[in-house]
Amino acid sequence: MPYKHDAIPLKARTAPESADEALNAIVGGFKRFRHEVFPQQQELFKALATAQNPRAMFITCADSRIVPELITQSAPGDLFVSRNVGNVVPPYGQLLGGVSTAIEYSVMALGVQHIIICGHSDCGAMKAVLDPQTLERMPTVKAWLRHAEVAKTVVAENCGCADHNTLEVLTEENVVAQLDHLRTHPSVAARLASGQLFIHGWVYDIETCAIRAYDAEKGEFRPIDDGPLPMATPRARYPQS
């Protein structure tokens, strides 16, 4: 049976919680899932118990406000998600860690046809890139965000934008930079060349729910619901017949 998206009461938490209150809320959520949601979806989870066939890999920020399955209304098993601070993709060979292994596995083992890199509004990582002094007590975060330095340089030398929208432009440029890094991965490069893989660069706006996607041909971000879907995929050089 198809996955059912029941209405979820969403409420922003503005008041602080104790450690016990936070944990109890999480455990309580699991109990509701186990007793109310899972029984209605047993056939789905039975099918997923021994195999997965995701539609796409979704690389996004670790920010707690970004929920790929909610934003795209996807069911369990639909998205192969990799999250990290700043939706970073290290260039191949520099840091063969979790992101690199997830990319290789999704392409080679799972055969995904799409990889989406999704940045977002009000990104704390991008704010830190603009103000690196805030990272002096977080050396690992500082080192990790060096992978976004290329975007900062592009903006500094080309943008000429006012302070009020520098963060927005940097967020977009960071997505473009990570798309460039993504293409250095051999598994990705090979399947892009053969037309078996498509890559996408998105920026999600938390307040308005709008998504802008990178159009590689025009060199700009456009709304994904305005005309033809913007594509970041380069032309295949060895298309499969």
Side-chain angles (χ1 to χ4, degrees):
M1 65 183 292
Y3 182 71
K4 295 180 181 178
H5 285 280
D6 295 327
I8 303 173
L10 302 177
K11 184 179 180 181
R13 290 185 300 102
T14 55
E17 291 178 324
S18 69
D20 284 344
E21 288 172 333
L23 182 59
N24 288 337
I26 293 170
V27 173
F30 162 70
K31 291 178 179 178
R32 289 194 300 274
F33 170 76
R34 184 175 186 179
H35 296 294
E36 299 174 22
V37 178
F38 181 82
Q40 301 177 34
Q41 307 292 340
Q42 286 192 62
E43 290 302 314
L44 169 64
F45 290 105
K46 183 178 180 180
L48 292 173
T50 57
Q52 63 170 317
N53 184 30
R55 289 188 172 125
M57 181 180 190
F58 201 100
I59 302 172
T60 193
C61 189
D63 193 299
S64 61
R65 299 168 293 177
I66 311 304
V67 185
E69 292 84 358
L70 179 65
I71 295 168
T72 63
Q73 288 294 278
S74 296
D78 286 349
L79 298 178
F80 189 77
V81 178
S82 177
R83 304 180 64 150
N84 67 77
V85 173
N87 42 273
V88 161
V89 176
Y92 184 78
Q94 284 197 15
L95 182 63
L96 299 180
V99 180
S100 301
T101 55
I103 291 169
E104 188 171 83
Y105 186 81
S106 71
V107 173
M108 301 299 293
L110 301 178
V112 298
Q113 295 177 301
H114 299 274
I115 298 179
I116 300 165
I117 298 178
C118 185
H120 66 93
S121 61
D122 192 49
C123 182
M126 294 302 99
K127 291 178 180 178
V129 170
L130 290 172
D131 187 11
Q133 290 185 349
T134 60
L135 297 177
E136 288 306 316
R137 296 179 61 189
M138 293 180 277
T140 56
V141 177
K142 185 176 183 179
W144 177 252
L145 289 178
R146 289 189 185 125
H147 296 297
E149 195 68 25
V150 59
K152 180 180 179 181
T153 302
V154 169
V155 172
E157 297 191 8
N158 295 283
C159 176
C161 46
D163 290 342
H164 70 277
N165 67 348
T166 301
L167 178 62
E168 178 180 338
V169 177
L170 177 64
T171 299
E172 292 182 348
E173 283 298 333
N174 182 56
V175 169
V176 175
Q178 306 316 317
L179 286 169
D180 290 341
H181 294 170
L182 179 63
R183 291 199 296 270
T184 68
H185 290 250
S187 59
V188 172
R191 298 212 175 180
L192 285 174
S194 64
Q196 296 176 288
L197 180 66
F198 303 90
I199 60 175
H200 313 268
W202 292 3
V203 174
Y204 169 70
D205 189 284
I206 296 170
E207 184 175 2
T208 66
C209 186
I211 292 179
R212 301 187 311 280
Y214 182 59
D215 186 326
E217 186 174 337
K218 295 185 177 181
E220 63 184 23
F221 282 78
R222 296 192 293 104
I224 65 172
D225 51 358
D226 181 18
L229 184 67
M231 298 290 287
T233 309
R235 186 182 299 276
R237 298 190 302 280
Y238 305 98
Q240 301 295 295
S241 56

